[in-house]
Amino acid sequence: MIHQTSAVTAARQSRGGRIPSLDLLRGVAILGTFGTNVFLFAHPGGPTGFFQDFIGTATGFAEYAELGLRVISNGKFLALLTILFGVGLELQYQSARRRGASWPGRYPLRAGILFLEGVAHYLLVFEGDVLMAYGLTSLLVAYLVGRSDRVVRTVVAVVGGAYATLLLALTAFLVSQPDVSGEPVPVSPAATASWPGQVSLRLNEFLTLRAETVLIVPSAVVLFLLGSRLRRAGVFEDTAQGGRLRARLLVLGFAVGLPLNLLTGFSGPDWLLVDRYLLPPLVALGLLALITHLSLRMRDRPGTVRSGLIAVGRTALSCYVLQNLLAGILCYGWGFGLAEQFADARPWWIVGLWSFVGLVNVAFAVVWLRHFDRGPLELLMHRLHTPRRPTETSEQR
């Protein structure tokens, strides 16, 4: 159960404005998620080509370096972003309670808008969209977030337990199968030569390309609820209770999760399910604790890097779409075609690509927030789901 003092502090903090450590975490999660997606864009055949030519083992230094970079980013920042989405849902719930509004109220409309934004993002920009999964998950969790701790613990245990059991069973099956070696399927850069062609492929192969949603949603239900309860437990507060909780998460994330994740990451493609979906949430909890601790210690020294990351966090939805749009323009054949031009320079040019897109994201967020209090997509969502107040008449005045 949550201590009364923690709940009071949380309420005061929410009334006082945004939570800097939460925006900082979102900024890190957005740029870190692109650290995984950038490898899909940088493949000459695009995301489809990447998975057809997936490298689970390495033979040369460059391949080992690329594998190491992918292991570092794979799943961890996506899990962090998912947990933070749950924290945001909790803040919406607490805001409704303070205003005396019914819950979930209009929140299902917000979830539906997010889902439709995800559909547009998937069709027009990127096959690896997560907004659709988040829209579905937020609709489900909206009806759970206000339930008792006992109900929430039961849902987390049942869904999380079944999910982990399924992934471990599938992994055991994959590991038990004999290795089948063969030449990788050649993927033509023509796969990204036409933007309308990519849109048509995404539409025609919708069920196949969206199959990952089946794996994301159950995990996201657990992580959303975990984020909600961590917020209530005071993980973002500079209190003794918050410090103890962060210390436990640091141990769980970096002493338990990280070594296991590194082991599975270098163990070949048979361990992909565990490497991407099962262990990264543990590492993400460690990242959440570490970044929150550093943010609390440096709150009086904002700094350029911290301020830039906070700006990205405040415009997280817009920056998520922007970085994928930029990567497509730079990498695909219908754009600048850099993926094909620098195919022999992997993974070194990919680090430069990630850095460039990240800097553009930071610059965009900083400049935009000088004129608006939300990102462009955040403003659109706010206007679509927030009811308009009737214009006051002279009699009312």
Side-chain angles (χ1 to χ4, degrees), residues 155-188:
V155 172
V156 169
V158 172
V159 176
Y163 184 73
T165 301
L166 175 62
L167 293 187
L168 290 173
L170 290 173
T171 300
F173 172 77
L174 292 173
V175 171
S176 66
Q177 298 304 299
D179 292 333
V180 179
S181 59
E183 292 295 325
V185 179
V187 181
S188 171

PDB file of all heavy atoms in Angstrom, residues 155-188:
ATOM      1  N   VAL A 155      -3.596  -9.165 -11.829  1.00  0.00           N
ATOM      2  CA  VAL A 155      -3.490  -9.021 -13.283  1.00  0.00           C
ATOM      3  C   VAL A 155      -2.036  -9.113 -13.720  1.00  0.00           C
ATOM      4  O   VAL A 155      -1.703  -9.813 -14.687  1.00  0.00           O
ATOM      5  CB  VAL A 155      -4.105  -7.689 -13.743  1.00  0.00           C
ATOM      6  CG1 VAL A 155      -3.812  -7.443 -15.223  1.00  0.00           C
ATOM      7  CG2 VAL A 155      -5.605  -7.677 -13.493  1.00  0.00           C
ATOM      8  N   VAL A 156      -1.145  -8.422 -13.006  1.00  0.00           N
ATOM      9  CA  VAL A 156       0.277  -8.439 -13.353  1.00  0.00           C
ATOM     10  C   VAL A 156       0.832  -9.861 -13.234  1.00  0.00           C
ATOM     11  O   VAL A 156       1.578 -10.327 -14.116  1.00  0.00           O
ATOM     12  CB  VAL A 156       1.066  -7.470 -12.449  1.00  0.00           C
ATOM     13  CG1 VAL A 156       2.566  -7.682 -12.606  1.00  0.00           C
ATOM     14  CG2 VAL A 156       0.701  -6.027 -12.776  1.00  0.00           C
ATOM     15  N   ALA A 157       0.462 -10.561 -12.177  1.00  0.00           N
ATOM     16  CA  ALA A 157       0.979 -11.918 -11.971  1.00  0.00           C
ATOM     17  C   ALA A 157       0.467 -12.875 -13.040  1.00  0.00           C
ATOM     18  O   ALA A 157       1.242 -13.687 -13.589  1.00  0.00           O
ATOM     19  CB  ALA A 157       0.582 -12.415 -10.584  1.00  0.00           C
ATOM     20  N   VAL A 158      -0.825 -12.806 -13.353  1.00  0.00           N
ATOM     21  CA  VAL A 158      -1.405 -13.742 -14.322  1.00  0.00           C
ATOM     22  C   VAL A 158      -0.903 -13.451 -15.729  1.00  0.00           C
ATOM     23  O   VAL A 158      -0.407 -14.351 -16.427  1.00  0.00           O
ATOM     24  CB  VAL A 158      -2.949 -13.674 -14.267  1.00  0.00           C
ATOM     25  CG1 VAL A 158      -3.547 -14.493 -15.412  1.00  0.00           C
ATOM     26  CG2 VAL A 158      -3.452 -14.182 -12.928  1.00  0.00           C
ATOM     27  N   VAL A 159      -1.023 -12.182 -16.157  1.00  0.00           N
ATOM     28  CA  VAL A 159      -0.607 -11.830 -17.514  1.00  0.00           C
ATOM     29  C   VAL A 159       0.905 -11.981 -17.664  1.00  0.00           C
ATOM     30  O   VAL A 159       1.397 -12.562 -18.642  1.00  0.00           O
ATOM     31  CB  VAL A 159      -1.048 -10.398 -17.870  1.00  0.00           C
ATOM     32  CG1 VAL A 159      -0.527 -10.001 -19.254  1.00  0.00           C
ATOM     33  CG2 VAL A 159      -2.563 -10.287 -17.826  1.00  0.00           C
ATOM     34  N   GLY A 160       1.652 -11.449 -16.691  1.00  0.00           N
ATOM     35  CA  GLY A 160       3.111 -11.541 -16.756  1.00  0.00           C
ATOM     36  C   GLY A 160       3.605 -12.966 -16.688  1.00  0.00           C
ATOM     37  O   GLY A 160       4.528 -13.351 -17.423  1.00  0.00           O
ATOM     38  N   GLY A 161       2.999 -13.770 -15.833  1.00  0.00           N
ATOM     39  CA  GLY A 161       3.408 -15.167 -15.714  1.00  0.00           C
ATOM     40  C   GLY A 161       3.126 -15.954 -16.981  1.00  0.00           C
ATOM     41  O   GLY A 161       3.980 -16.731 -17.448  1.00  0.00           O
ATOM     42  N   ALA A 162       1.942 -15.772 -17.555  1.00  0.00           N
ATOM     43  CA  ALA A 162       1.597 -16.475 -18.788  1.00  0.00           C
ATOM     44  C   ALA A 162       2.502 -16.026 -19.939  1.00  0.00           C
ATOM     45  O   ALA A 162       2.948 -16.840 -20.758  1.00  0.00           O
ATOM     46  CB  ALA A 162       0.126 -16.223 -19.140  1.00  0.00           C
ATOM     47  N   TYR A 163       2.789 -14.734 -19.987  1.00  0.00           N
ATOM     48  CA  TYR A 163       3.639 -14.177 -21.043  1.00  0.00           C
ATOM     49  C   TYR A 163       5.053 -14.734 -20.955  1.00  0.00           C
ATOM     50  O   TYR A 163       5.630 -15.187 -21.956  1.00  0.00           O
ATOM     51  CB  TYR A 163       3.649 -12.659 -20.904  1.00  0.00           C
ATOM     52  CG  TYR A 163       4.414 -11.916 -21.971  1.00  0.00           C
ATOM     53  CD1 TYR A 163       3.918 -11.806 -23.257  1.00  0.00           C
ATOM     54  CD2 TYR A 163       5.629 -11.296 -21.673  1.00  0.00           C
ATOM     55  CE1 TYR A 163       4.607 -11.101 -24.232  1.00  0.00           C
ATOM     56  CE2 TYR A 163       6.328 -10.589 -22.645  1.00  0.00           C
ATOM     57  CZ  TYR A 163       5.811 -10.501 -23.923  1.00  0.00           C
ATOM     58  OH  TYR A 163       6.503  -9.802 -24.887  1.00  0.00           O
ATOM     59  N   ALA A 164       5.617 -14.729 -19.747  1.00  0.00           N
ATOM     60  CA  ALA A 164       6.976 -15.239 -19.563  1.00  0.00           C
ATOM     61  C   ALA A 164       7.048 -16.733 -19.870  1.00  0.00           C
ATOM     62  O   ALA A 164       8.007 -17.210 -20.496  1.00  0.00           O
ATOM     63  CB  ALA A 164       7.434 -14.974 -18.129  1.00  0.00           C
ATOM     64  N   THR A 165       6.031 -17.476 -19.447  1.00  0.00           N
ATOM     65  CA  THR A 165       6.001 -18.915 -19.712  1.00  0.00           C
ATOM     66  C   THR A 165       5.967 -19.198 -21.207  1.00  0.00           C
ATOM     67  O   THR A 165       6.676 -20.084 -21.713  1.00  0.00           O
ATOM     68  CB  THR A 165       4.781 -19.562 -19.034  1.00  0.00           C
ATOM     69  OG1 THR A 165       4.854 -19.335 -17.617  1.00  0.00           O
ATOM     70  CG2 THR A 165       4.733 -21.057 -19.309  1.00  0.00           C
ATOM     71  N   LEU A 166       5.152 -18.426 -21.932  1.00  0.00           N
ATOM     72  CA  LEU A 166       5.052 -18.616 -23.374  1.00  0.00           C
ATOM     73  C   LEU A 166       6.386 -18.322 -24.067  1.00  0.00           C
ATOM     74  O   LEU A 166       6.840 -19.100 -24.922  1.00  0.00           O
ATOM     75  CB  LEU A 166       3.966 -17.708 -23.941  1.00  0.00           C
ATOM     76  CG  LEU A 166       3.816 -17.705 -25.468  1.00  0.00           C
ATOM     77  CD1 LEU A 166       3.436 -19.094 -25.969  1.00  0.00           C
ATOM     78  CD2 LEU A 166       2.783 -16.672 -25.904  1.00  0.00           C
ATOM     79  N   LEU A 167       7.021 -17.202 -23.700  1.00  0.00           N
ATOM     80  CA  LEU A 167       8.292 -16.845 -24.326  1.00  0.00           C
ATOM     81  C   LEU A 167       9.383 -17.872 -24.025  1.00  0.00           C
ATOM     82  O   LEU A 167      10.170 -18.228 -24.903  1.00  0.00           O
ATOM     83  CB  LEU A 167       8.745 -15.460 -23.860  1.00  0.00           C
ATOM     84  CG  LEU A 167       7.895 -14.270 -24.317  1.00  0.00           C
ATOM     85  CD1 LEU A 167       8.567 -12.964 -23.913  1.00  0.00           C
ATOM     86  CD2 LEU A 167       7.667 -14.286 -25.818  1.00  0.00           C
ATOM     87  N   LEU A 168       9.419 -18.341 -22.801  1.00  0.00           N
ATOM     88  CA  LEU A 168      10.425 -19.340 -22.441  1.00  0.00           C
ATOM     89  C   LEU A 168      10.175 -20.659 -23.166  1.00  0.00           C
ATOM     90  O   LEU A 168      11.126 -21.338 -23.597  1.00  0.00           O
ATOM     91  CB  LEU A 168      10.427 -19.551 -20.931  1.00  0.00           C
ATOM     92  CG  LEU A 168      10.973 -18.381 -20.096  1.00  0.00           C
ATOM     93  CD1 LEU A 168      10.764 -18.645 -18.611  1.00  0.00           C
ATOM     94  CD2 LEU A 168      12.453 -18.159 -20.394  1.00  0.00           C
ATOM     95  N   ALA A 169       8.900 -21.030 -23.318  1.00  0.00           N
ATOM     96  CA  ALA A 169       8.576 -22.267 -24.027  1.00  0.00           C
ATOM     97  C   ALA A 169       8.964 -22.169 -25.504  1.00  0.00           C
ATOM     98  O   ALA A 169       9.549 -23.108 -26.075  1.00  0.00           O
ATOM     99  CB  ALA A 169       7.085 -22.576 -23.890  1.00  0.00           C
ATOM    100  N   LEU A 170       8.652 -21.030 -26.126  1.00  0.00           N
ATOM    101  CA  LEU A 170       9.025 -20.836 -27.520  1.00  0.00           C
ATOM    102  C   LEU A 170      10.539 -20.823 -27.692  1.00  0.00           C
ATOM    103  O   LEU A 170      11.077 -21.370 -28.658  1.00  0.00           O
ATOM    104  CB  LEU A 170       8.422 -19.532 -28.047  1.00  0.00           C
ATOM    105  CG  LEU A 170       6.904 -19.515 -28.236  1.00  0.00           C
ATOM    106  CD1 LEU A 170       6.430 -18.109 -28.598  1.00  0.00           C
ATOM    107  CD2 LEU A 170       6.484 -20.506 -29.311  1.00  0.00           C
ATOM    108  N   THR A 171      11.235 -20.198 -26.732  1.00  0.00           N
ATOM    109  CA  THR A 171      12.694 -20.157 -26.799  1.00  0.00           C
ATOM    110  C   THR A 171      13.289 -21.552 -26.644  1.00  0.00           C
ATOM    111  O   THR A 171      14.233 -21.925 -27.371  1.00  0.00           O
ATOM    112  CB  THR A 171      13.251 -19.230 -25.702  1.00  0.00           C
ATOM    113  OG1 THR A 171      12.736 -17.907 -25.896  1.00  0.00           O
ATOM    114  CG2 THR A 171      14.766 -19.189 -25.738  1.00  0.00           C
ATOM    115  N   ALA A 172      12.747 -22.331 -25.735  1.00  0.00           N
ATOM    116  CA  ALA A 172      13.221 -23.705 -25.557  1.00  0.00           C
ATOM    117  C   ALA A 172      13.026 -24.514 -26.830  1.00  0.00           C
ATOM    118  O   ALA A 172      13.889 -25.326 -27.218  1.00  0.00           O
ATOM    119  CB  ALA A 172      12.480 -24.370 -24.393  1.00  0.00           C
ATOM    120  N   PHE A 173      11.902 -24.284 -27.501  1.00  0.00           N
ATOM    121  CA  PHE A 173      11.656 -24.988 -28.761  1.00  0.00           C
ATOM    122  C   PHE A 173      12.675 -24.585 -29.825  1.00  0.00           C
ATOM    123  O   PHE A 173      13.225 -25.439 -30.533  1.00  0.00           O
ATOM    124  CB  PHE A 173      10.236 -24.675 -29.248  1.00  0.00           C
ATOM    125  CG  PHE A 173       9.941 -25.195 -30.622  1.00  0.00           C
ATOM    126  CD1 PHE A 173       9.668 -26.545 -30.826  1.00  0.00           C
ATOM    127  CD2 PHE A 173       9.945 -24.341 -31.720  1.00  0.00           C
ATOM    128  CE1 PHE A 173       9.400 -27.032 -32.094  1.00  0.00           C
ATOM    129  CE2 PHE A 173       9.683 -24.817 -32.986  1.00  0.00           C
ATOM    130  CZ  PHE A 173       9.408 -26.173 -33.180  1.00  0.00           C
ATOM    131  N   LEU A 174      12.936 -23.274 -29.935  1.00  0.00           N
ATOM    132  CA  LEU A 174      13.890 -22.795 -30.934  1.00  0.00           C
ATOM    133  C   LEU A 174      15.297 -23.315 -30.662  1.00  0.00           C
ATOM    134  O   LEU A 174      16.013 -23.725 -31.586  1.00  0.00           O
ATOM    135  CB  LEU A 174      13.896 -21.262 -30.951  1.00  0.00           C
ATOM    136  CG  LEU A 174      12.628 -20.583 -31.463  1.00  0.00           C
ATOM    137  CD1 LEU A 174      12.707 -19.075 -31.266  1.00  0.00           C
ATOM    138  CD2 LEU A 174      12.392 -20.913 -32.938  1.00  0.00           C
ATOM    139  N   VAL A 175      15.698 -23.328 -29.394  1.00  0.00           N
ATOM    140  CA  VAL A 175      17.040 -23.789 -29.033  1.00  0.00           C
ATOM    141  C   VAL A 175      17.200 -25.284 -29.309  1.00  0.00           C
ATOM    142  O   VAL A 175      18.290 -25.747 -29.684  1.00  0.00           O
ATOM    143  CB  VAL A 175      17.330 -23.475 -27.552  1.00  0.00           C
ATOM    144  CG1 VAL A 175      18.627 -24.130 -27.093  1.00  0.00           C
ATOM    145  CG2 VAL A 175      17.399 -21.955 -27.322  1.00  0.00           C
ATOM    146  N   SER A 176      16.119 -26.025 -29.151  1.00  0.00           N
ATOM    147  CA  SER A 176      16.191 -27.482 -29.323  1.00  0.00           C
ATOM    148  C   SER A 176      16.238 -27.910 -30.782  1.00  0.00           C
ATOM    149  O   SER A 176      16.584 -29.057 -31.091  1.00  0.00           O
ATOM    150  CB  SER A 176      14.981 -28.147 -28.653  1.00  0.00           C
ATOM    151  OG  SER A 176      13.777 -27.797 -29.321  1.00  0.00           O
ATOM    152  N   GLN A 177      15.899 -26.973 -31.689  1.00  0.00           N
ATOM    153  CA  GLN A 177      15.898 -27.330 -33.100  1.00  0.00           C
ATOM    154  C   GLN A 177      17.327 -27.318 -33.658  1.00  0.00           C
ATOM    155  O   GLN A 177      18.163 -26.514 -33.248  1.00  0.00           O
ATOM    156  CB  GLN A 177      15.039 -26.339 -33.895  1.00  0.00           C
ATOM    157  CG  GLN A 177      13.586 -26.338 -33.490  1.00  0.00           C
ATOM    158  CD  GLN A 177      12.949 -27.704 -33.594  1.00  0.00           C
ATOM    159  OE1 GLN A 177      12.882 -28.304 -34.669  1.00  0.00           O
ATOM    160  NE2 GLN A 177      12.484 -28.220 -32.459  1.00  0.00           N
ATOM    161  N   PRO A 178      17.611 -28.230 -34.590  1.00  0.00           N
ATOM    162  CA  PRO A 178      18.953 -28.240 -35.198  1.00  0.00           C
ATOM    163  C   PRO A 178      19.182 -26.970 -36.007  1.00  0.00           C
ATOM    164  O   PRO A 178      18.260 -26.423 -36.614  1.00  0.00           O
ATOM    165  CB  PRO A 178      18.928 -29.480 -36.102  1.00  0.00           C
ATOM    166  CG  PRO A 178      17.474 -29.718 -36.372  1.00  0.00           C
ATOM    167  CD  PRO A 178      16.748 -29.296 -35.132  1.00  0.00           C
ATOM    168  N   ASP A 179      20.415 -26.491 -35.968  1.00  0.00           N
ATOM    169  CA  ASP A 179      20.766 -25.299 -36.728  1.00  0.00           C
ATOM    170  C   ASP A 179      20.701 -25.590 -38.218  1.00  0.00           C
ATOM    171  O   ASP A 179      21.192 -26.618 -38.691  1.00  0.00           O
ATOM    172  CB  ASP A 179      22.174 -24.819 -36.370  1.00  0.00           C
ATOM    173  CG  ASP A 179      22.247 -24.299 -34.937  1.00  0.00           C
ATOM    174  OD1 ASP A 179      21.204 -23.837 -34.442  1.00  0.00           O
ATOM    175  OD2 ASP A 179      23.329 -24.370 -34.336  1.00  0.00           O
ATOM    176  N   VAL A 180      20.086 -24.691 -38.936  1.00  0.00           N
ATOM    177  CA  VAL A 180      19.991 -24.809 -40.389  1.00  0.00           C
ATOM    178  C   VAL A 180      20.788 -23.667 -40.997  1.00  0.00           C
ATOM    179  O   VAL A 180      20.405 -22.503 -40.909  1.00  0.00           O
ATOM    180  CB  VAL A 180      18.523 -24.748 -40.867  1.00  0.00           C
ATOM    181  CG1 VAL A 180      18.470 -24.847 -42.386  1.00  0.00           C
ATOM    182  CG2 VAL A 180      17.705 -25.843 -40.221  1.00  0.00           C
ATOM    183  N   SER A 181      21.919 -23.989 -41.564  1.00  0.00           N
ATOM    184  CA  SER A 181      22.761 -22.960 -42.159  1.00  0.00           C
ATOM    185  C   SER A 181      22.421 -22.816 -43.632  1.00  0.00           C
ATOM    186  O   SER A 181      21.995 -23.753 -44.291  1.00  0.00           O
ATOM    187  CB  SER A 181      24.246 -23.308 -42.005  1.00  0.00           C
ATOM    188  OG  SER A 181      24.510 -24.549 -42.615  1.00  0.00           O
ATOM    189  N   GLY A 182      22.593 -21.632 -44.109  1.00  0.00           N
ATOM    190  CA  GLY A 182      22.310 -21.370 -45.515  1.00  0.00           C
ATOM    191  C   GLY A 182      22.689 -19.959 -45.866  1.00  0.00           C
ATOM    192  O   GLY A 182      22.979 -19.141 -44.998  1.00  0.00           O
ATOM    193  N   GLU A 183      22.682 -19.700 -47.138  1.00  0.00           N
ATOM    194  CA  GLU A 183      23.021 -18.367 -47.590  1.00  0.00           C
ATOM    195  C   GLU A 183      21.873 -17.415 -47.263  1.00  0.00           C
ATOM    196  O   GLU A 183      20.703 -17.764 -47.413  1.00  0.00           O
ATOM    197  CB  GLU A 183      23.265 -18.367 -49.103  1.00  0.00           C
ATOM    198  CG  GLU A 183      24.511 -19.129 -49.525  1.00  0.00           C
ATOM    199  CD  GLU A 183      25.767 -18.486 -48.993  1.00  0.00           C
ATOM    200  OE1 GLU A 183      25.805 -17.242 -48.901  1.00  0.00           O
ATOM    201  OE2 GLU A 183      26.715 -19.222 -48.648  1.00  0.00           O
ATOM    202  N   PRO A 184      22.182 -16.207 -46.795  1.00  0.00           N
ATOM    203  CA  PRO A 184      21.121 -15.247 -46.536  1.00  0.00           C
ATOM    204  C   PRO A 184      20.393 -14.877 -47.817  1.00  0.00           C
ATOM    205  O   PRO A 184      20.967 -14.868 -48.900  1.00  0.00           O
ATOM    206  CB  PRO A 184      21.878 -14.034 -45.960  1.00  0.00           C
ATOM    207  CG  PRO A 184      23.279 -14.185 -46.460  1.00  0.00           C
ATOM    208  CD  PRO A 184      23.519 -15.653 -46.529  1.00  0.00           C
ATOM    209  N   VAL A 185      19.104 -14.615 -47.686  1.00  0.00           N
ATOM    210  CA  VAL A 185      18.302 -14.241 -48.846  1.00  0.00           C
ATOM    211  C   VAL A 185      18.704 -12.838 -49.296  1.00  0.00           C
ATOM    212  O   VAL A 185      18.653 -11.891 -48.517  1.00  0.00           O
ATOM    213  CB  VAL A 185      16.798 -14.256 -48.495  1.00  0.00           C
ATOM    214  CG1 VAL A 185      15.969 -13.846 -49.713  1.00  0.00           C
ATOM    215  CG2 VAL A 185      16.395 -15.639 -48.001  1.00  0.00           C
ATOM    216  N   PRO A 186      19.140 -12.690 -50.544  1.00  0.00           N
ATOM    217  CA  PRO A 186      19.533 -11.362 -51.006  1.00  0.00           C
ATOM    218  C   PRO A 186      18.326 -10.428 -51.060  1.00  0.00           C
ATOM    219  O   PRO A 186      17.250 -10.817 -51.514  1.00  0.00           O
ATOM    220  CB  PRO A 186      20.108 -11.619 -52.395  1.00  0.00           C
ATOM    221  CG  PRO A 186      19.464 -12.884 -52.845  1.00  0.00           C
ATOM    222  CD  PRO A 186      19.272 -13.707 -51.601  1.00  0.00           C
ATOM    223  N   VAL A 187      18.512  -9.213 -50.584  1.00  0.00           N
ATOM    224  CA  VAL A 187      17.432  -8.239 -50.561  1.00  0.00           C
ATOM    225  C   VAL A 187      17.839  -7.058 -51.417  1.00  0.00           C
ATOM    226  O   VAL A 187      18.875  -6.438 -51.194  1.00  0.00           O
ATOM    227  CB  VAL A 187      17.133  -7.766 -49.117  1.00  0.00           C
ATOM    228  CG1 VAL A 187      15.991  -6.760 -49.138  1.00  0.00           C
ATOM    229  CG2 VAL A 187      16.771  -8.952 -48.245  1.00  0.00           C
ATOM    230  N   SER A 188      17.027  -6.740 -52.385  1.00  0.00           N
ATOM    231  CA  SER A 188      17.346  -5.657 -53.310  1.00  0.00           C
ATOM    232  C   SER A 188      17.022  -4.307 -52.693  1.00  0.00           C
ATOM    233  O   SER A 188      15.988  -4.151 -52.036  1.00  0.00           O
ATOM    234  CB  SER A 188      16.549  -5.828 -54.609  1.00  0.00           C
ATOM    235  OG  SER A 188      16.678  -4.686 -55.428  1.00  0.00           O
TER     236      SER A 188
END
